[in-house]
Amino acid sequence: MTVLNYFYVAAAVLLLFGAAVFVHEWGHYWMARRRGLKVEAFAIGFGPKLLSWTKDEIEYSWRLIPAGGFVKLPQMVTSEALEGKHDEEPLPPVSPVSKILVAVAGPFMNVVFAFVIATIIYFVGLPVLVNPSIIGYVEPGSAEAKAGIMEGDRIVAVNGQRVSTWREVQETTVLARTNILPVIIERNKEEKEYLLEAKSNDVIGGKFLNLDPRDHPEVLDVQSGSAAEAAGIKVKDVVIAFAGVPIASRDQFITLVSKAAGVATDIEVKRGDEKVMLKVTPRQDPSTKRGLIGVALGSSSKNEYIVQKPGPLPWTQVKEVWDKTIATFSALFHSKETGVGPKDLAGPVGILALLAAQVNADYRLALSFLVLLNVNLAFLNLLPLPVLDGGHILLAIIEKIRRRPLSPKFQEYATTAFALLLISFMLYVSFHDIKRFRLFKAMFQQENRIEQSAPASGK
């Protein structure tokens, strides 16, 4: 990748993520002005100010941490932990209806923005991953092999849901409320159901079936006296993983090896009908300082996409994202059954990394991710927790029923407490995002090939 491409990806990520935050906060801002509320500040991000200016007695600013933003509305319940102290001048109270409308406006604008982006995707088309759920490896002696599952079989349903790609297989498996799943597998146009166990993956997070897709780089030659020879790597070995990172392309593997000079690293290969775990120590090239193991590799596998044009209908896109969001939070709520925990969620670091990978692959994939991001922002902010929009709505409803507001001190303390919990949670998930850095980096480096038109139908 060139420096220019890195700059393009970074700029695009900040622009797209900032747009989602801006639209949300602008919804609050616009409704607050319409309802006559005082607006003290409009900020994108949290923390120290990077840039600020004042207009019409409102301070506008960009801040250091690009993980949200706020509109400072002193007549609403606020949190000094996130927004700082307010001016001391007394202000007239705001009606519960105005508070509800201002709180709803932010998530509502995210949903509107999601529909706008989905409409753009409909016209420009959407790259759809060609990733058929064909089994490429079955471990000999495993429960799956003993059950009669073979390479070349196709998974057509998992836990009662029809699937056609490995991505759908993995998503359905991760979100299932059990680790024993009914899986329907097709061979020669005949379908058979199996009960298979999904096992946790500490590197990626979540649980997965003990079945692999096909597509890994193959070793074509091993140099005499090389690190690969010393490690026991052989010709026709198929590289499955390196340093715990699943390998999906030749260049991705080379890049990971180049960063591991002098470091004894686990490498997993498929050799004939079995998986073999080895340890290789890449040797440093004196001229480039990069790690080398001394193998020649076959042609790399790629993410293959075919552009669906026109793209899915806008409401279909938004509904699919909404359904996935509900399914994810349902899996989180039933964590004991699904194994999905807070550590498996993506925080600001993970979101930015995933968005960068999509931007690097194709701008339409980045737009599709932005639909997901906006719907998730709307959903999360409507949760009835102080500091979130849903908390404002809940407090306003209580105020309407009681015909008087709760104690200002109680509201401030509750909001500040939840603000600190929110910051702590963001730091927690960001810590796990950083632990998955190799995975995000591998996604970013993965090769992609996009066919600009879908093949003619009519098989």
Side-chain angles (χ1 to χ4, degrees), residues 293-372:
I293 63 172
V295 296
L297 299 170
S299 59
S300 62
S301 58
K302 299 179 180 180
N303 279 337
E304 305 259 355
Y305 293 90
I306 292 179
V307 176
Q308 177 186 341
K309 192 172 183 180
L313 293 169
W315 47 88
T316 300
Q317 294 181 61
V318 174
K319 182 180 182 302
E320 287 180 356
V321 169
W322 179 261
D323 289 343
K324 287 182 180 179
T325 301
I326 296 298
T328 299
F329 278 88
S330 176
L332 186 63
F333 183 77
H334 297 91
S335 181
K336 289 185 178 180
E337 293 91 346
T338 63
V340 176
K343 64 181 176 59
D344 299 314
L345 300 178
V349 174
I351 290 171
L352 293 175
L354 291 168
L355 182 55
Q358 302 295 347
V359 168
N360 188 54
D362 188 271
Y363 78 94
R364 291 161 292 195
L365 293 174
L367 291 177
S368 181
F369 186 84
L370 204 56
V371 174
L372 171 69

Side-chain angles (χ1 to χ4, degrees), residues 399-448:
E399 179 181 340
K400 183 72 174 176
I401 294 172
R402 296 176 78 239
R403 297 187 179 180
R404 66 181 187 277
L406 295 168
S407 163
K409 283 293 183 184
F410 171 81
Q411 295 184 63
E412 173 66 20
Y413 289 153
T415 304
T416 300
F418 273 89
L420 294 174
L421 285 174
L422 176 62
I423 292 172
S424 299
F425 179 76
M426 288 168 58
L427 291 173
Y428 173 77
V429 295
S430 294
F431 170 74
H432 285 282
D433 283 341
I434 294 170
K435 288 179 65 176
R436 291 190 289 263
F437 176 74
R438 280 185 171 180
L439 176 62
F440 292 133
K441 187 176 180 180
M443 292 175 59
F444 188 79
Q445 295 171 336
Q446 203 162 34
E447 294 183 66
N448 301 281

Side-chain angles (χ1 to χ4, degrees), residues 157-203:
V158 177
N159 202 31
Q161 296 187 37
R162 303 297 290 188
V163 297
S164 59
T165 67
W166 272 104
R167 176 175 293 178
E168 292 173 346
V169 170
Q170 292 170 348
E171 287 177 352
T172 306
T173 302
V174 167
L175 298 177
R177 295 185 187 179
T178 175
N179 65 331
I180 304 298
L181 305 172
V183 178
I184 297 177
I185 292 178
E186 179 187 78
R187 182 189 305 159
N188 298 327
K189 298 184 179 180
E190 294 185 2
E191 296 182 357
K192 184 177 179 180
E193 183 174 292
Y194 301 84
L195 285 177
L196 303 181
E197 180 181 6
K199 297 181 180 179
S200 298
N201 186 305
D202 295 331
V203 175

Side-chain angles (χ1 to χ4, degrees), residues 97-396:
V97 172
S98 290
K99 292 179 180 178
I100 292 172
L101 289 174
V102 171
V104 168
F108 176 75
M109 286 306 301
N110 279 125
V111 174
V112 171
F113 192 35
F115 272 103
V116 170
I117 300 166
T119 301
I120 294 172
I121 293 172
Y122 174 78
F123 288 105
V124 300
L126 178 66
V128 178
L129 186 64
V130 181
N131 184 23
S133 53
I134 298 173
I135 298 170
Y137 177 77
V138 182
E139 186 175 353
S142 65
E144 292 77 11
K146 292 176 181 177
I149 299 173
M150 301 171 60
E151 295 182 15
D153 289 351
R154 182 190 293 267
I155 301 173
V156 296
V158 177
N159 202 31
Q161 296 187 37
R162 303 297 290 188
V163 297
S164 59
T165 67
W166 272 104
R167 176 175 293 178
E168 292 173 346
V169 170
Q170 292 170 348
E171 287 177 352
T172 306
T173 302
V174 167
L175 298 177
R177 295 185 187 179
T178 175
N179 65 331
I180 304 298
L181 305 172
V183 178
I184 297 177
I185 292 178
E186 179 187 78
R187 182 189 305 159
N188 298 327
K189 298 184 179 180
E190 294 185 2
E191 296 182 357
K192 184 177 179 180
E193 183 174 292
Y194 301 84
L195 285 177
L196 303 181
E197 180 181 6
K199 297 181 180 179
S200 298
N201 186 305
D202 295 331
V203 175
I204 301 174
K207 59 183 185 297
F208 298 88
L209 297 174
N210 187 34
L211 297 169
D212 288 339
R214 57 187 183 187
D215 285 336
H216 299 287
E218 183 181 36
V219 176
L220 300 181
D221 184 48
V222 179
Q223 294 177 6
S224 177
S226 66
E229 184 180 63
I233 297 172
K234 299 181 179 181
V235 173
K236 294 191 176 180
D237 280 354
V238 177
V239 181
I240 303 296
F242 183 82
V245 179
I247 299 300
S249 79
R250 174 180 176 274
D251 289 345
Q252 174 205 2
F253 177 54
I254 291 173
T255 300
L256 291 175
V257 169
S258 71
K259 303 294 185 182
V263 179
T265 308
D266 290 331
I267 181 170
E268 184 179 8
V269 300
K270 175 189 170 187
R271 182 175 296 163
D273 294 326
E274 63 178 345
K275 283 184 179 178
V276 179
M277 183 67 75
L278 304 169
K279 193 172 287 289
V280 63
T281 303
R283 296 170 183 172
Q284 189 177 72
D285 186 310
S287 58
T288 65
K289 306 299 182 183
R290 294 185 174 185
L292 299 171
I293 63 172
V295 296
L297 299 170
S299 59
S300 62
S301 58
K302 299 179 180 180
N303 279 337
E304 305 259 355
Y305 293 90
I306 292 179
V307 176
Q308 177 186 341
K309 192 172 183 180
L313 293 169
W315 47 88
T316 300
Q317 294 181 61
V318 174
K319 182 180 182 302
E320 287 180 356
V321 169
W322 179 261
D323 289 343
K324 287 182 180 179
T325 301
I326 296 298
T328 299
F329 278 88
S330 176
L332 186 63
F333 183 77
H334 297 91
S335 181
K336 289 185 178 180
E337 293 91 346
T338 63
V340 176
K343 64 181 176 59
D344 299 314
L345 300 178
V349 174
I351 290 171
L352 293 175
L354 291 168
L355 182 55
Q358 302 295 347
V359 168
N360 188 54
D362 188 271
Y363 78 94
R364 291 161 292 195
L365 293 174
L367 291 177
S368 181
F369 186 84
L370 204 56
V371 174
L372 171 69
L373 179 59
N374 275 275
V375 172
N376 274 267
L377 279 175
F379 180 86
L380 285 170
N381 275 281
L382 287 174
L383 294 176
L385 302 174
V387 86
L388 298 178
D389 297 326
H392 290 300
I393 295 169
L394 177 62
L395 292 175

Side-chain angles (χ1 to χ4, degrees), residues 26-37 98 101-103 105:
W26 185 84
H28 293 314
Y29 169 86
W30 180 82
M31 184 57 71
R33 298 294 295 267
R34 294 276 295 181
R35 300 294 295 186
L37 277 71
S98 290
L101 289 174
V102 171

